[in-house]
Amino acid sequence: MILTVTLNTALDVTYRVPRLLPHASHRVTAVTERPGGKGLNVARVLAALGHKVTATGFAGGPVGSVVRSALAASPAVVDALLPCEGGSRRTLAVVDEASGDTTQFNEPGPLITPAEWSRFLAHYEELVAGAGAVALCGSLPPGVPVGAYAVLVRTARAAGVPVLLDTSGEALRRGVAARPEIIKPNASELAELTGSRDPLPASRDARRRGAHAVVTSLGPAGLLAATARGTWQAAPPRPLSGNPTGAGDSVVAGLLSALAEGLDWPERLTRAVALSAATVLAPAAGEFDPRTYEELRQTVHVTGGN
């Protein structure tokens, strides 16, 4: 079983409009709603790849109820979310059909009390005991300690379970020091962590800070992986236009599923890039078409090595 952690779950709402214009009224041509937050997107992709997945984190209020009802309708992902007194957030993605660009609005999330956080830590420790790998994903809701991911990484490592950490800012800085198996920043997050805007030396710096491997999202240029076994870069076959919401989460799912299956780094990166590209081309956040994924997987270009 793979465990995904989404402390700041969300209901992802996607609007499609013919053209997005400032200061204008818009007629929405299509609306989709999906359980969201990075870890839930990761869980959905992992399940589509055939893995057993359990999703945990917090869900509260009317939005949290909608998220849990949607999860219940998709039994491929086991719902191990904990209730909280505050209301879960929504994210709104507005897709401009003329340009293919997406504008994103993210709410902050509920206030988590110290008692709720303590209850989650005990719950997480029980779940980790039965996991083969863990994904720690996304922002921290208000009230959760900034060192939360460091605590969760250490708990998993004590149980002998590999961890992929996907967050940013101070939560990433502290989490790296706990020595996760993989971190997956984008170029800006990596630069903020290390102070270097050159991804390769910045990746090596992040490894010195504690990460066993660093996989950096380079946008349209694909992924850069710096590991103990070598450095690789993987890129999609062509520039893609679409909705990037959830594409980074598909990268996490690709990397974690390949790790669980014992695949080597070039195969991990090939899967991650193809899944990310297929997600960009999909109409709804955090989804992909399996046929598109298989077609793209045959054309991903991987370079590098020892």
Side-chain angles (χ1 to χ4, degrees), residues 196-281:
S196 172
R197 295 198 171 275
D198 187 329
L200 184 54
S203 296
R204 291 169 176 160
D205 184 359
R207 290 195 63 236
R208 287 192 294 270
R209 292 169 185 257
H212 290 268
V214 180
V215 180
T216 306
S217 296
L218 302 176
L223 300 174
L224 173 67
T227 81
R229 297 187 177 182
T231 301
W232 290 268
Q233 186 162 352
R238 63 184 185 278
L240 302 172
S241 177
N243 182 1
T245 305
D249 306 326
S250 290
V251 169
V252 171
L255 293 172
L256 203 59
S257 62
L259 171 66
E261 294 169 27
L263 301 183
D264 63 17
W265 273 105
E267 292 175 290
R268 295 182 196 182
L269 296 173
T270 296
R271 177 179 293 184
V273 168
L275 280 171
S276 176
T279 301
V280 169
L281 297 175

Side-chain angles (χ1 to χ4, degrees), residues 24 52 90 127 177 214 216 225 249 259 295 300 302 304:
K52 294 181 179 180
R90 293 160 295 183
L127 291 172
V214 180
T216 306
D249 306 326
L259 171 66
E295 291 170 1
V300 172
V302 181

Side-chain angles (χ1 to χ4, degrees), residues 133-230:
V134 176
L136 305 175
C137 304
S139 62
L140 300 178
V144 171
V146 71
Y149 282 136
V151 173
L152 300 183
V153 170
R154 292 188 188 102
T155 299
R157 283 179 54 81
V161 180
V163 179
L164 189 155
L165 176 61
D166 182 16
T167 189
S168 60
E170 188 62 22
L172 174 60
R173 188 181 308 278
R174 298 200 187 190
V176 165
R179 301 187 60 78
E181 188 73 19
I182 304 171
I183 63 169
K184 193 217 67 66
N186 60 34
S188 296
E189 292 163 348
L190 183 63
E192 182 182 4
L193 173 66
T194 65
S196 172
R197 295 198 171 275
D198 187 329
L200 184 54
S203 296
R204 291 169 176 160
D205 184 359
R207 290 195 63 236
R208 287 192 294 270
R209 292 169 185 257
H212 290 268
V214 180
V215 180
T216 306
S217 296
L218 302 176
L223 300 174
L224 173 67
T227 81
R229 297 187 177 182

Side-chain angles (χ1 to χ4, degrees), residues 13 21 23 33 49 72-73 78 96 100 104-105 141 160 189 245 254 257-258 295 298:
V13 182
L21 299 171
H23 316 297
E33 292 185 349
L49 293 171
V78 175
D96 184 327
Q104 188 89 11
F105 300 89
E189 292 163 348
T245 305
S257 62
E295 291 170 1
Q298 303 302 320

Side-chain angles (χ1 to χ4, degrees), residues 38-49:
K38 284 180 174 293
L40 291 187
N41 288 338
V42 171
R44 189 161 48 242
V45 176
L46 286 169
L49 293 171

Side-chain angles (χ1 to χ4, degrees), residues 119-145:
R119 188 166 66 249
F120 176 80
L121 289 175
H123 178 64
Y124 171 78
E125 188 170 358
E126 291 178 0
L127 291 172
V128 163
V134 176
L136 305 175
C137 304
S139 62
L140 300 178
V144 171

